[in-house]
Amino acid sequence: MSADNAPVGAVLDGRRIVLAVSGGIASYKAVELCRLLVDAGAHVIPVLTDDAQRFVGALTFSALASEPACTNLFSGSDGGEPIPHTRLGQSADLIMVVPATAKIIGKYAAGISDDLLSATLLATRAPVLMAPAMHTEMWEHAAVQENIATLCRRGVHIVGPESGRLAGGDIGQGRLAGLDRIVEAASELLARGRDLAGLRVLVTAGGTREAIDPVRFVGNRSSGKMGYAVAAVAAQRGASVTLVTTTAAAVTSGMQIIRVETAQEMHQAVMSQFDAVDVVVMAAAVADFRPKAVAFEKLKKNDGVPEIVLEPTEDILAELGACKVGQVLVGFAAETDNLAEHAADKMLRKHVDLMVANDVSATDAGFEVDTNRALLLDSSGAREETPLITKMALAGVIWDRVAERLGRTELIKEQH
Ligand SMILES: Cc1cc2nc3c(=O)[nH]c(=O)nc-3n(C[C@H](O)[C@H](O)[C@H](O)COP(=O)(O)O)c2cc1C
């Protein structure tokens, strides 16, 4: 759902927002943001790092916010709240880090919790919105860009930075996003909030591996990033998620994980869960063929070139399409030619409700990279092309369409 379904800011009313302020030159703008959020009805709890207080006073935030500013992880030892970071993290509807310095971005990506702000970020399941601000050289540094990519992959929402005037008279990329943009992003996150609450979803991720012998396999280039993004966004939006994955990558807590390796194992795992779920997103790249016979011992080079005979694997998507009873079925089509035609054909043949097609021959989309460009085909005839966007953003679009199909967008509109 987009913010234009409700007046910008209206959804902030009564919501608990931790406004986390780290120490950059743009910290002073967080003072105005605090006032805007309070004016919109939000319950704002400011959290300032030690270095943020070199730029702006905690007293200023205490005077404007809904609660006094929090600055100390160890306030308990002075007779204050014993575990402030868990209260802040667990009770928040949204955490906004404005401005986000290179340092807090790095600490959050690395999982370091050495002060109140960084500990609160790890102690929450609420959505996190970060608005980075720093000099262009810092923003473009590979370390910062890799940390941002890591956070995006984990579902953190990044707004800005913009290009414009920076401290010291410089001009370039790195300026804090406009406060109106930041408020709009917060409103959109809160409005979308938990629109998938109560929904049970099954997501598959990664490429299957079909053994040739004990050390070799037939595989594909799927990294699992798209499936992980789909699972992470569903969990963020309140769904109860089961992820069937071939990769060992870590996931957000709170999901049920089933690790598999082969197409056959994935087939078993998916079919065992199917009756109990409302939506299945088949983002995994399941092998179409596997070696008919698997050698018990490692094949020896000296024995000559082996002849490997392949046989078809189970067609999980087609089987789901044939036996679904009300579940929404989302399929992926990885194509290298005639994208729309092949995807439409696959959707029809396999009784898929929503087909996400992408051209995997492009270098910036498809396998392994963090971005994707997709053509979405709906069985009702709707068709939508996305530009090149992050896999998290594409996951958001997919869930928007599923939510629309299930009438959940209307539900959220009514609630606001
Ligand atoms: C005048 C001044 C301005 C700064 N502005 C920024 C900035 O805009 N962005 C940034 O990432 N770091 C900036 N820094 C560096 C941070 O203040 C420094 O990394 C600090 O330790 C951040 O701490 P925190 O993230 O824990 O608040 C600035 C430092 C100085 C002295």
Side-chain angles (χ1 to χ4, degrees):
M1 130 153 204
S2 72
D4 45 50
N5 286 324
V8 169
V11 290
L12 298 172
D13 197 13
R15 310 306 291 273
R16 282 181 77 84
I17 297 179
V18 169
L19 176 58
V21 184
S22 57
I25 202 78
S27 305
Y28 76 95
K29 296 184 182 173
V31 174
E32 177 67 4
L33 177 64
C34 179
R35 197 188 58 75
L36 288 173
L37 295 171
V38 169
D39 286 353
H43 184 96
V44 181
I45 310 141
V47 173
L48 277 75
T49 62
D50 286 349
D51 286 341
Q53 293 170 74
R54 292 172 182 261
F55 293 87
V56 277
L59 182 64
T60 310
F61 283 94
S62 295
L64 292 170
S66 316
E67 290 186 24
C70 306
T71 55
N72 186 4
L73 179 60
F74 297 103
S75 53
S77 50
D78 304 328
E81 192 178 4
I83 323 180
H85 60 294
T86 53
R87 176 191 63 100
L88 289 165
Q90 289 167 358
S91 65
D93 292 316
L94 174 68
I95 298 190
M96 301 173 69
V97 189
V98 186
T101 58
K103 181 174 154 194
I104 189 62
I105 290 167
K107 286 202 300 185
Y108 190 25
I112 294 170
S113 59
D114 62 352
D115 62 6
L116 183 58
L117 196 161
S118 51
T120 302
L121 284 173
L122 296 193
T124 194
R125 294 209 171 113
V128 174
L129 177 67
M130 291 184 115
M134 63 200 73
H135 258 78
T136 311
E137 294 82 351
M138 291 175 84
W139 173 247
E140 289 179 352
H141 195 284
V144 174
Q145 285 305 309
E146 280 174 27
N147 288 332
I148 289 284
T150 299
L151 294 176
C152 283
R153 229 179 9 255
R154 291 185 192 147
V156 175
H157 303 269
I158 309 289
V159 54
E162 293 176 354
S163 194
R165 251 188 76 207
L166 305 169
D170 293 334
I171 292 180
Q173 186 83 7
R175 187 180 161 87
L176 185 76
L179 296 187
D180 51 350
R181 239 183 105 193
I182 295 173
V183 172
E184 191 174 321
S187 304
E188 191 162 337
L189 273 178
L190 284 168
R192 187 188 277 163
R194 300 180 66 78
D195 63 344
L196 305 180
L199 211 63
R200 297 156 304 170
V201 311
L202 178 68
V203 180
T204 64
T208 60
R209 293 174 165 197
E210 312 300 329
I212 295 171
D213 68 13
V215 297
R216 302 181 180 93
F217 58 85
V218 177
N220 60 64
R221 288 176 52 210
S222 169
S223 60
K225 286 180 177 177
M226 191 64 236
Y228 273 62
V230 170
V233 171
Q236 264 173 19
R237 289 165 67 165
S240 132
V241 180
T242 300
L243 177 67
V244 180
T245 173
T246 62
T247 89
V251 292
T252 324
S253 56
M255 285 183 208
Q256 187 198 354
I257 306 297
I258 304 177
R259 299 212 189 263
V260 297
E261 188 170 314
T262 63
Q264 192 172 28
E265 287 169 7
M266 184 165 281
H267 174 258
Q268 274 166 8
V270 170
M271 296 320 292
S272 71
Q273 302 287 317
F274 191 45
D275 286 347
V277 297
D278 307 298
V279 183
V280 179
V281 182
M282 284 292 299
V286 185
D288 291 328
F289 309 103
R290 70 177 149 237
K292 200 165 183 175
V294 182
F296 285 113
E297 307 290 344
K298 184 184 167 195
L299 298 173
K300 303 283 186 300
K301 201 171 180 177
N302 291 345
D303 293 342
V305 180
E307 191 170 308
I308 298 167
V309 179
L310 301 176
E311 65 178 5
T313 56
E314 298 78 7
D315 190 332
I316 307 175
L317 191 62
E319 204 171 319
L320 295 175
C323 68
K324 68 183 159 101
V325 275
Q327 290 100 331
V328 175
L329 183 57
V330 182
F332 274 70
E335 305 289 348
T336 53
D337 64 303
N338 293 333
L339 185 67
E341 202 179 303
H342 286 149
D345 173 61
K346 188 170 174 181
M347 179 169 70
L348 271 179
R349 270 190 300 113
K350 303 193 179 188
H351 304 285
V352 171
D353 299 299
L354 180 66
M355 188 58 92
V356 185
N358 55 320
D359 179 353
V360 288
S361 62
T363 52
D364 54 0
F367 292 139
E368 294 167 312
V369 293
D370 290 319
T371 47
N372 217 342
R373 186 188 289 106
L375 169 69
L376 273 74
L377 301 177
D378 191 293
S379 57
S380 64
R383 184 192 156 106
E384 173 181 0
E385 268 179 71
T386 73
L388 187 69
I389 51 179
T390 64
K391 287 185 173 171
M392 290 297 290
L394 177 57
V397 174
I398 293 168
W399 285 116
D400 286 349
R401 296 300 154 265
V402 172
E404 274 165 24
R405 247 194 121 88
L406 294 168
R408 286 183 169 244
T409 318
E410 293 309 312
L411 207 71
I412 297 289
K413 269 190 214 165
E414 280 164 24
Q415 284 168 5
H416 293 287

